[in-house]
Amino acid sequence: MTTQKISRFHRAAVALVLPVAVIGALAACDDSAASQAAPAAGPEAAVPSTSTSAAPAAGLHMIANNGHQLAFHVTPGGSPTIVLDAGGGEDSSYWDALVPQLSQATGSQIITYDRAGMGASEEVTGPWDPQAAASDLQAGLRELGVTQNVILAGHSQAGEVAHYFVLANPGVVSGAVLIDANVPQFFTDTQIQRIVTLTAPQIEELKKAPSTKANRQLIATADNFGPTHQAYHKVSWPDSIPVIYVVSDKTPFDGSPQDAQAWRDAAAAFVKAGPDRTLVTAKGSSHDVPQDEPVLVLNEIAQMTATVK
């Protein structure tokens, strides 16, 4: 493998744990420009979070769960409700360009949110836990009165949250669009060890850097990565929930054919593992499919929305 390919593989492997922007800053051998981190949520007036059966008001809702506050953003509309969940290191602003287009195309209520420690949401100490993240999403949707007919769309790391959410909340999600998302089939012991080994130097650099909210969340995401993903490898998606899985053409491992193929194989295995699952390839796209191919993402979410109406 050439030096250039090694650097790309390092960046891609860490992208499953850390956002690409940080890797570009840390990997001195990387000759490509680092993408910019998504900005924090804008200054909206927070709506008091009081449970109600009525449709939630538009805008920002601060919702408490297990001692911390979480930021949820509502765009009004009808049923089904579309919930957009960004990948690792990203907050709700990742979807800002897509939300108005998706609202117009579907007429659905749309909810985006900041996972703990991201955007306007408060931090939680300790390693990042996808089951705790699923609990946060559950608390937010319940507080907003969204208890059924949800279309859940998740990118990258949000695939883990989606799996744990649907298992803990049967009957809430009617369909899902997983966008180059982490699926259990990928996280074999071999792949976990490769990722842990490759990301270790970048994590050590982060620990030496100034302690910021962003850095603390990145370190928390990497902590306990092995055991967390060994457990995730054993999780199964319910057969009752249809899925469109959008796999990127280049995968997160562009530059490492072996690992790119492992990613494609995992996507195919996930789709074959149950009924009502469709595999779509985002031709020419990097792992950052919602930014590279927003029309494709919009169309697939709209198609799933139309299917469950």
Side-chain angles (χ1 to χ4, degrees):
M1 191 182 293
T2 66
T3 301
Q4 185 180 32
K5 287 183 178 179
I6 290 172
S7 70
R8 286 177 178 173
F9 179 45
H10 276 237
R11 185 175 70 250
V14 182
L16 296 178
V17 184
L18 308 177
V20 176
V22 175
I23 303 317
L26 294 177
C29 63
D30 188 356
D31 57 2
S32 63
S35 66
Q36 296 299 313
E44 300 175 81
V47 177
S49 57
T50 55
S51 296
T52 175
S53 58
L60 171 64
H61 296 249
M62 295 303 297
I63 294 171
N65 187 47
N66 292 330
H68 56 277
Q69 293 283 323
L70 298 148
F72 281 75
H73 307 266
V74 175
T75 299
S79 183
T81 294
I82 300 170
V83 176
L84 303 176
D85 199 355
E90 303 288 353
D91 61 27
S92 57
S93 64
Y94 183 79
W95 305 105
D96 281 355
L98 186 63
V99 167
Q101 299 174 47
L102 196 54
S103 176
Q104 182 175 13
T106 66
S108 287
Q109 174 175 253
I110 300 174
I111 295 175
T112 61
Y113 77 109
D114 301 332
R115 289 198 293 272
M118 303 305 301
S121 292
E122 292 179 345
E123 294 181 69
V124 174
T125 58
W128 183 75
D129 180 355
Q131 294 186 69
S135 172
D136 286 343
L137 178 56
Q138 176 190 60
L141 294 185
R142 284 184 176 177
E143 187 71 20
L144 294 171
V146 180
T147 58
Q148 61 182 350
N149 210 15
V150 167
I151 301 299
L152 185 56
H155 174 239
S156 194
Q157 188 186 57
E160 299 174 40
V161 181
H163 273 74
Y164 286 113
F165 180 86
V166 297
L167 291 172
N169 298 276
V172 174
V173 175
S174 299
V177 179
L178 301 180
I179 307 159
D180 225 27
N182 298 6
V183 291
Q185 287 81 354
F186 178 74
F187 292 96
T188 63
D189 287 343
T190 298
Q191 288 299 148
I192 290 171
Q193 187 56 51
R194 285 174 68 80
I195 292 171
V196 170
T197 299
L198 286 166
T199 58
Q202 285 85 356
I203 301 303
E204 288 306 310
E205 289 299 316
L206 278 175
K207 290 179 179 178
K208 296 174 185 176
S211 181
T212 64
K213 182 178 179 181
N215 283 0
R216 289 192 295 273
Q217 291 309 305
L218 298 174
I219 294 167
T221 303
D223 282 350
N224 211 39
F225 186 87
T228 296
H229 289 84
Q230 286 171 343
Y232 181 52
H233 186 60
K234 300 174 183 178
V235 172
S236 297
W237 186 268
D239 287 346
S240 60
I241 302 175
V243 183
I244 297 173
Y245 187 97
V246 181
V247 64
S248 65
D249 194 20
K250 297 179 181 179
T251 83
F253 300 98
D254 187 25
S256 176
Q258 171 190 344
D259 297 280
Q261 191 59 52
W263 186 262
R264 295 187 190 99
D265 290 346
F270 170 79
V271 169
K272 290 179 181 178
D276 297 321
R277 303 184 191 184
T278 303
L279 183 65
V280 174
T281 299
K283 297 293 185 182
S285 177
S286 72
H287 177 58
D288 202 23
V289 182
Q291 303 298 311
D292 291 353
E293 296 293 335
V295 174
L296 172 64
V297 171
L298 185 152
N299 288 341
E300 297 304 332
I301 296 174
Q303 178 179 325
M304 182 59 74
T305 302
T307 299
V308 305
K309 275 189 174 179

